[in-house]
């Protein structure tokens, strides 16, 4: 490993990874111990929405406790630092260098905070990739399939959906009896994608910028004694199987049906849990209705999906980009504050 001197400390290694966020089409909602999912899920990897992590290891005296300095957008972020420190401590038995060196992480997002883009997916994805990359460098191994599988497993332990950010295009996570090689531990790329889905777009309509009132972890835990949980988990597994077939057959209307029903089902689960809550806003419903109306009028295969928040993800093929974006830009006003235009992406990238 390269050794440079920085401010009287020895800089052992700096590694930089860029990891994209992803938007689930079939949703993961409900988990078991160790962030193992209650059902399989399938997502599309984004391109412009990413986190870039610069991980630096410096010499320190005692190798007992994790020493972490965490900076977000150049500023110390104590809240996320504590979450990441806990995460790194849990991984230290497999990655002993985390205790042997002082760890410093600089994190930068390409997208605004609380915009309805899963920042924990891209952040934990990039952290996991960086940690795996240090170990890979120490062991003089190459970046291969095993590397991404290990990174996916490690990312999952930070944030479940992060494990799907390890690959480009469409990605599947969770054991599904109908799909070979699927696993609860890590995600796998979905191969055999029809032309119709190869240049898919995701425009995120920002309805509200406030951080969400109920965290995803609380939401997941409410599935534990949810009256509809078992049926929901079975439904999701069936939909993953169907969606996988749709992605290879190119059936856009079936895709739309699955995507929209999944979005509404996710929110229905929140609304019907014992401690019910509502994340949609009036602007969410206005946008959804306009999208459905526009589709009916124009026959353009455009649809919506939702994450655990009020902002609306609009999905459409690249071939319809101009017409859809003209329509969406006209929605900016009272309910839609801003739009982030993104599209399907290639997956993570090592920068340095
Ligand atoms: O990865 P988590 O624990 O933040 O959960 C993500 C859950 C959803 O974004 C709502 C759905 C999904 O599959 O990404």
């Amino acid at each position: 490993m390269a050794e440079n001197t920085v401010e009287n400390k020895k800089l052992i290694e700096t590694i930089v990874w860029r990891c994209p966020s992803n938007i689930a089409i079939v949703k993961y909602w409900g988990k078991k111990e160790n962030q193992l999912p209650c059902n399989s899920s399938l997502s599309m990897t984004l391109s412009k929405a990413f986190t870039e992590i610069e991980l630096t290891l410096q010499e320190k005296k005692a190798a007992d406790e994790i020493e972490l300095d965490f900076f977000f957008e150049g500023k110390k972020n104590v809240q996320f630092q504590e979450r990441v420190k806990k995460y790194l401590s849990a991984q230290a038995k497999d990655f002993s260098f985390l205790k042997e060196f002082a760890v410093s992480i600089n994190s930068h997002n390409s997208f605004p905070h609380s915009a309805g883009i899963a920042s924990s997916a891209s952040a934990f994805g990039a952290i996991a990739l960086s940690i795996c990359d240090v170990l890979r460098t120490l062991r003089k191994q190459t970046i291969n399939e095993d590397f991404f599988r290990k990174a996916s497993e490690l990312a999952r332990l930070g944030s479940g959906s992060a494990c799907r950010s390890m690959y480009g295009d469409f990605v599947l996570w969770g054991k599904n009896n109908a799909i070979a090689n699927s696993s609860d531990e890590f995600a796998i790329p979905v191969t055999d994608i029809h032309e119709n889905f190869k240049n898919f777009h995701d425009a995120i309509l920002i309805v509200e910028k406030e951080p969400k009132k109920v965290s995803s972890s609380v939401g997941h835990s409410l599935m534990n004694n949810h009256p509809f949980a078992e049926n929901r988990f079975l439904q999701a597994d069936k939909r993953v199987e169907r969606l996988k077939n749709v992605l290879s057959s190119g059936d856009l209307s079936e895709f739309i049906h699955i995507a929209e029903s999944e979005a509404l089902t996710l929110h229905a689960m929140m609304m019907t849990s014992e401690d019910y809550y509502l994340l949609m806003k009036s602007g969410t419903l206005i946008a959804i209705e306009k999208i459905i109306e526009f589709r009916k009028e124009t026959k353009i295969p455009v649809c919506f999906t939702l994450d655990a928040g009020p902002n609306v993800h609009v999905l459409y093929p690249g071939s319809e980009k101009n017409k859809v974006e003209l329509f969406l830009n006209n929605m900016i006003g009272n309910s839609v504050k801003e739009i982030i235009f993104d599209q399907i992406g290639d997956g993570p990238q090592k920068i340095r």
Side-chain angles (χ1 to χ4, degrees):
M1 291 171 101
E3 286 197 357
N4 305 304
T5 305
V6 171
E7 290 174 356
N8 303 326
K9 279 184 171 180
K10 275 198 166 174
L11 177 73
I12 304 298
E13 181 75 90
T14 296
I15 273 174
V16 183
W17 273 87
R18 180 179 288 185
C19 183
S21 185
N22 68 76
I23 176 71
I25 313 298
V26 177
K27 314 289 181 183
Y28 144 62
W29 200 241
K31 63 178 168 186
K32 304 173 207 157
E33 259 171 50
N34 272 334
Q35 310 253 91
L36 295 169
C38 292
N39 62 264
S40 50
S41 57
L42 203 158
S43 59
M44 181 174 100
T45 299
L46 298 178
S47 154
K48 293 180 195 148
F50 59 80
T51 297
E52 207 168 272
I53 287 285
E54 185 188 79
L55 180 127
T56 305
L57 299 176
Q58 291 177 318
E59 272 192 352
K60 72 172 193 194
K61 291 206 176 75
D64 45 5
E65 242 194 79
I66 299 267
E67 212 178 290
L68 171 69
D69 266 331
F70 189 93
F71 299 89
F72 178 62
E73 308 296 0
K75 283 198 202 117
K76 186 116 176 142
N77 185 319
V78 180
Q79 203 187 341
F80 205 58
Q81 175 171 294
E82 287 316 299
R83 182 167 169 196
V84 175
K85 197 170 168 185
K86 219 166 130 193
Y87 169 71
L88 296 183
S89 306
Q91 312 319 324
K93 59 177 186 332
D94 294 329
F95 299 87
S96 55
F97 61 85
L98 290 171
K99 279 192 173 173
E100 287 156 14
F101 296 95
V103 183
S104 161
I105 294 178
N106 271 294
S107 176
H108 157 73
N109 282 354
S110 66
F111 51 91
H113 196 55
S114 296
I117 295 175
S119 56
S120 60
S122 53
F124 276 103
I127 293 171
L129 284 158
S130 307
I131 297 172
C132 285
D133 205 16
V134 173
L135 194 66
R136 180 195 67 80
T137 313
L138 287 168
R139 291 181 176 168
K140 299 188 170 52
Q141 290 165 339
T142 54
I143 295 181
N144 54 18
E145 236 177 81
D146 281 352
F147 171 80
F148 286 106
R149 176 166 297 188
K150 182 71 208 155
S152 179
E153 216 175 315
L154 195 62
R156 187 201 88 231
L157 295 165
S159 164
S161 55
C163 76
R164 296 187 309 239
S165 280
M166 293 303 119
Y167 303 97
D169 302 336
F170 291 92
V171 185
L172 190 153
W173 168 44
K175 180 74 195 151
N176 186 309
N177 291 333
I179 297 163
N181 303 324
S182 60
S183 167
D184 282 347
E185 312 267 336
F186 49 81
I188 53 170
V190 178
T191 51
D192 190 19
I193 303 294
H194 190 277
E195 266 324 295
N196 283 352
F197 299 108
K198 282 201 172 143
N199 184 20
F200 236 56
H201 283 242
D202 177 13
I204 303 128
L205 311 183
I206 312 292
V207 168
E208 193 182 283
K209 274 193 165 179
E210 302 292 302
K212 49 189 172 196
K213 288 173 197 79
V214 181
S215 70
S216 286
S217 10
V218 171
H220 285 293
S221 70
L222 289 172
M223 288 305 283
N224 287 341
N225 52 6
H226 194 291
F228 307 140
E230 280 320 305
N231 280 334
R232 162 59 196 156
F233 301 146
L234 288 173
Q235 176 195 51
D237 282 344
K238 283 202 191 111
R239 283 179 166 173
V240 163
E241 186 188 350
R242 256 166 72 199
L243 180 58
K244 195 173 174 292
N245 293 333
V246 162
L247 290 174
S248 60
S249 72
D251 187 341
L252 283 160
S253 53
E254 183 67 3
F255 178 90
I256 290 170
H257 184 85
I258 295 172
E260 293 191 341
S261 178
E262 271 297 301
L264 298 178
T265 304
L266 170 69
H267 284 255
M269 288 300 114
M270 298 170 191
M271 290 190 255
T272 51
S273 51
E274 185 61 29
D275 290 332
Y276 54 86
Y277 63 106
L278 192 61
L279 294 183
M280 284 191 273
K281 298 278 170 194
S282 54
T284 314
L285 297 180
I286 294 170
I288 287 177
E289 286 190 328
K290 283 192 178 159
I291 292 159
I292 296 174
E293 209 175 282
F294 176 75
R295 180 171 71 235
K296 276 195 182 139
E297 274 170 16
T298 61
K299 308 273 180 273
I300 292 174
V302 52
C303 67
F304 69 86
T305 187
L306 301 166
D307 219 332
N311 299 320
V312 181
H313 289 247
V314 188
L315 305 171
Y316 48 96
S319 54
E320 306 287 1
K321 180 176 156 36
N322 292 345
K323 284 184 222 148
V324 175
E325 292 182 2
L326 187 68
F327 155 71
L328 294 178
N329 280 324
N330 276 329
M331 280 171 70
I332 296 182
N334 290 341
S335 46
V336 175
K337 298 195 166 80
E338 194 186 321
I339 305 179
I340 298 174
F341 291 100
D342 207 336
Q343 64 198 80
I344 194 164
D346 292 338
Q349 206 187 336
K350 181 173 161 76
I351 307 292
R352 200 152 24 105

